[in-house]
Amino acid sequence: MEIVRENFQRELPYIKEAINECEFIAIDAEFSGLHTEPNRRTQNTTLEEGYGDLRKSASKFLTIQIGISTFKFDPSNGSYLAKPFNVFVFPTTLTGYSPQGRCFLTEASSLDFLAKNRFDFNKWVYQGVHYMTKDEEEIYARERTKAVNNEMDNIDVDAANTVWLQDVIRRIGEWKDSKNALNFINIQTNNAYQRRLVYQEVRRYWPTELNARGQGGHINITKITEKELEIQQQQRQSDLQRDIESSRGFREVIDILSACKKPIVGHNIVVDLAYILSQFVGPLPPTVEGYKKMIHKTFPTVMDTKYVSYTANALKGLAFDSSLGGLENMVGTINFMGCPRISKHQRYLSRDLSHEAGYDAYITGSIMIRMLALIAKNEVPDSTPLIKLDIENKKNSQNEKRPHSSKDSKAFKAPKKNVESKKAATSTPPPAPVAAPVPAPVPAAPKKFSYADIVHRQRAPVAAAAPAVVAPTPAPVVVAVVEEEEEEDMEESESSESDYDYIQESDFPVHEKPFSWQSPSVTTLQNVLHWGRSSHGCINLVSS
């Protein structure tokens, strides 16, 4: 979904809902530039030097587009539901005007790169979502509160407007004291300075009797009662609170992401975080340790696809290209067969929108899901699939709890094994006719049965099997039974795969989460960010 200025407030509740219900969030950003000077980072660049360059760039360039994609596991089909949002952000106020003194740099190569990837610069400038940092919001709230409470500081009256202001005060006083005058008077003003003087003098002489309000080139002044004044103050306070909340703009989304405490996923995310924090939270600290604490405080759990791709043992040798496109190709190979699929948003069904922030965030989250699924699969001994191992464990636990013999545990195969026992009987006939034991009646297995049916049979009383008194069986027959059991064991081993397929289809749940964010193999990959071409290699956010 594309988010711009005109639909931001309307779609904000939907963004909040997607963040609250998801399992994790992937982010990506596009910038107006990356380097204030030619990049000279090498293997000998220290961590402090590299961070110094990054901090300088993040404070001068802008984040101009942010992608957020939420991911929620759907147990009904075993896939992940993705909700991507592509947001244009531009440094304007709530009214669409950019504050004075707010400057930023652009880098020709970055703009050229964005243009070649069909970035809409007109939409960015004209429709970019406004925002304020926390410091800017505090200043705005303080000034608006003073205005609402008539606590604005007085300004001096210059000589050029002294006579004009005295005439205005006289006219207002005469109108107020006149019994035949209308309930309002309009005072014409020529500029913002004169409007400020009128507000100031009305507030000074008639704070509880008159109300001044600007209306298209003039000040409209009306008489007001104490009751009306009280209602008006309540309405102003309500409007003030709404204006302050709306002034945050896109920073409110950043606040929601921080408050939800859910994992934040990115590709080479150390750069994205620096720009986002600098632009929407506050100035970056001067040291690396301060930067690490700032990230960890804002987003407690962060994961970097680039770091995971070359660190996890299960992925060693699979990625020949660690770029986002290279990892996307990697997770599409045969090595990742069986990993969960991700539902594709309709915006991305028929076209490739690479380097659109929303699309890249969606791809980043999809790559992380498939990588972590493969890592979790390789945690299982002998590389046995998770679902199959779970089913086998359940089968073993059922056999251990069943009070019958091993032959009884295979009751649903009875018809097939009776045929085999007849073959064994004809091949080794007893030396003398002996009365055969009467077997207990075996219930016919339904064509399709559930796991609950098996458990119900297990929990049936032992007496239900009603062991009948059987005549002693001669030795030759015992030998035949032993051979039959061996054949049954061989038959079970030969058809184990078909048994598993049969049970997997209808007996056991198959749509389980492919990995857990709390598993050891995942937690060891969290809060470590890839850094790039330097001797240190990465940044551990929780190390001292």
Side-chain angles (χ1 to χ4, degrees):
M1 176 182 294
E2 188 170 80
I3 305 296
V4 292
R5 189 180 307 164
E6 64 182 6
N7 72 343
F8 173 69
Q9 290 297 335
R10 184 173 67 250
E11 301 297 344
L12 184 58
Y14 180 63
I15 298 175
K16 292 180 180 179
E17 178 186 346
I19 294 175
N20 291 332
E21 71 181 8
C22 75
E23 184 176 330
F24 74 97
I25 305 104
I27 64 173
D28 185 78
E30 301 295 337
F31 319 114
S32 65
L34 288 173
H35 306 290
T36 56
E37 56 187 29
N39 184 16
R40 296 187 176 89
R41 276 198 299 150
T42 66
Q43 290 292 333
N44 296 324
T45 302
T46 66
L47 180 58
E48 292 290 345
E49 291 172 344
Y51 172 69
D53 292 341
L54 177 60
R55 178 171 176 258
K56 184 178 179 181
S57 298
S59 64
K60 294 183 178 296
F61 295 111
L62 281 186
T63 303
I64 61 179
Q65 192 181 69
I66 296 181
I68 297 174
S69 185
T70 64
F71 292 85
K72 177 184 177 183
F73 182 73
D74 185 357
S76 65
N77 55 25
S79 67
Y80 277 84
L81 174 63
K83 293 183 179 180
F85 303 92
N86 185 63
V87 189
F88 288 87
V89 288
F90 190 78
T92 58
T93 62
L94 180 64
T95 57
Y97 293 97
S98 183
Q100 292 184 355
R102 176 175 277 180
C103 302
F104 60 90
L105 294 181
T106 58
E107 186 180 16
S109 60
S110 294
L111 297 187
D112 180 63
F113 172 81
L114 292 171
K116 289 178 179 177
N117 286 279
R118 305 175 301 278
F119 185 86
D120 192 337
F121 290 96
N122 284 327
K123 186 175 290 185
W124 168 51
V125 175
Y126 289 109
Q127 286 294 323
V129 178
H130 67 279
Y131 61 87
M132 281 188 180
T133 65
K134 291 183 178 180
D135 291 340
E136 291 171 339
E137 180 188 346
E138 291 177 0
I139 296 173
Y140 176 78
R142 188 162 54 246
E143 292 178 349
R144 289 283 289 114
T145 302
K146 282 185 176 181
V148 169
N149 297 331
N150 287 327
E151 297 173 352
M152 296 294 292
D153 297 330
N154 291 332
I155 59 175
D156 296 329
V157 182
D158 60 15
N161 289 280
T162 301
V163 176
W164 172 84
L165 184 60
Q166 290 175 350
D167 181 64
V168 167
I169 296 173
R170 180 187 57 79
R171 290 171 54 199
I172 295 175
E174 292 176 352
W175 161 79
K176 176 184 173 298
D177 296 333
S178 176
K179 295 182 179 180
N180 298 323
L182 298 174
N183 192 42
F184 69 91
I185 184 174
N186 292 331
I187 304 299
Q188 298 295 325
T189 57
N190 297 321
N191 49 54
Y193 175 69
Q194 289 186 346
R195 289 194 294 272
R196 175 74 179 271
L197 289 176
V198 174
Y199 289 132
Q200 176 177 297
E201 298 308 308
V202 171
R203 183 172 64 249
R204 176 190 297 179
Y205 290 103
W206 308 283
T208 61
E209 300 174 85
L210 300 181
N211 178 57
R213 182 176 54 184
Q215 289 186 349
H218 66 269
I219 305 296
N220 177 258
I221 300 175
T222 58
K223 297 177 182 180
I224 189 169
T225 64
E226 291 185 4
K227 183 63 176 179
E228 291 173 337
L229 180 63
E230 181 181 353
I231 295 175
Q232 189 179 83
Q233 286 295 327
Q234 292 176 353
Q235 183 63 42
R236 286 181 176 180
Q237 291 294 336
S238 176
D239 294 343
L240 170 65
Q241 188 61 33
R242 185 185 65 251
D243 289 347
I244 293 175
E245 293 176 356
S246 299
S247 69
R248 299 169 189 160
F250 183 76
R251 207 206 75 233
E252 185 168 354
V253 177
I254 301 299
D255 292 343
I256 296 171
L257 291 176
S258 176
C260 75
K261 308 297 183 185
K262 294 181 180 179
I264 303 295
V265 171
H267 181 77
N268 201 15
I269 195 175
V270 67
V271 177
D272 300 72
L273 290 176
Y275 278 70
I276 290 174
L277 293 178
S278 176
Q279 190 163 333
F280 300 104
V281 179
L284 298 182
T287 64
V288 175
E289 287 301 319
Y291 176 53
K292 289 161 56 176
K293 291 178 181 178
M294 186 179 187
I295 295 176
H296 198 50
K297 180 181 178 181
T298 309
F299 304 118
T301 304
V302 181
M303 290 194 71
D304 190 343
T305 53
K306 199 161 190 174
Y307 175 77
V308 173
S309 68
Y310 72 76
T311 304
N313 291 328
L315 304 174
K316 291 292 179 64
L318 297 182
F320 298 100
D321 179 3
S322 63
S323 67
L324 188 64
L327 296 186
E328 183 182 8
N329 292 333
M330 179 191 74
V331 298
T333 62
I334 192 172
N335 299 290
F336 291 83
M337 287 186 63
C339 292
R341 65 182 181 86
I342 296 90
S343 60
K344 210 165 189 178
H345 192 268
Q346 59 181 1
R347 177 177 172 83
Y348 307 133
L349 285 177
S350 60
R351 50 182 175 169
D352 179 8
L353 295 177
S354 299
H355 302 296
E356 178 188 271
Y359 180 82
D360 286 355
Y362 162 77
I363 294 298
T364 298
S366 303
I367 291 171
M368 183 62 79
I369 288 173
R370 297 179 69 81
M371 289 197 304
L372 294 184
L374 185 65
I375 292 170
K377 186 185 298 184
N378 279 270
E379 282 185 324
V380 182
D382 300 327
S383 299
T384 307
L386 289 174
I387 298 299
K388 185 172 183 178
L389 178 65
D390 185 53
I391 292 173
E392 291 175 350
N393 288 338
K394 288 180 181 178
K395 291 171 68 177
N396 294 336
S397 63
Q398 293 166 14
N399 292 336
E400 291 174 1
K401 296 178 182 179
R402 185 186 293 271
H404 308 293
S405 65
S406 61
K407 182 186 294 187
D408 292 333
S409 67
K410 306 179 185 67
F412 64 91
K413 293 184 179 180
K416 187 174 182 178
K417 291 174 183 175
N418 287 341
V419 175
E420 297 296 332
S421 62
K422 288 180 181 180
K423 292 181 181 179
T426 55
S427 60
T428 55
V434 178
V438 180
V442 178
K447 184 175 182 181
K448 288 189 177 180
F449 56 92
S450 65
Y451 179 62
D453 296 330
I454 298 177
V455 174
H456 177 71
R457 293 175 190 172
Q458 290 178 355
R459 293 178 178 175
V462 179
V469 178
V470 182
T473 305
V477 176
V478 172
V479 173
V481 171
V482 171
E483 292 179 356
E484 179 184 342
E485 291 179 352
E486 292 177 353
E487 291 182 4
E488 288 175 352
D489 293 338
M490 184 179 300
E491 177 188 342
E492 180 182 10
S493 64
E494 291 175 352
S495 61
S496 60
E497 189 64 30
S498 61
D499 290 343
Y500 164 69
D501 293 337
Y502 177 63
I503 294 174
Q504 185 189 34
E505 180 181 356
S506 59
D507 292 0
F508 299 95
V510 295
H511 300 314
E512 301 177 2
K513 283 188 177 181
F515 61 88
S516 169
W517 291 95
Q518 287 74 40
S519 66
S521 62
V522 175
T523 55
T524 56
L525 298 171
Q526 295 174 0
N527 294 321
V528 184
L529 308 181
H530 174 78
W531 183 251
R533 296 177 300 169
S534 54
S535 57
H536 41 77
C538 60
I539 296 180
N540 191 334
L541 300 181
V542 295
S543 64
S544 57

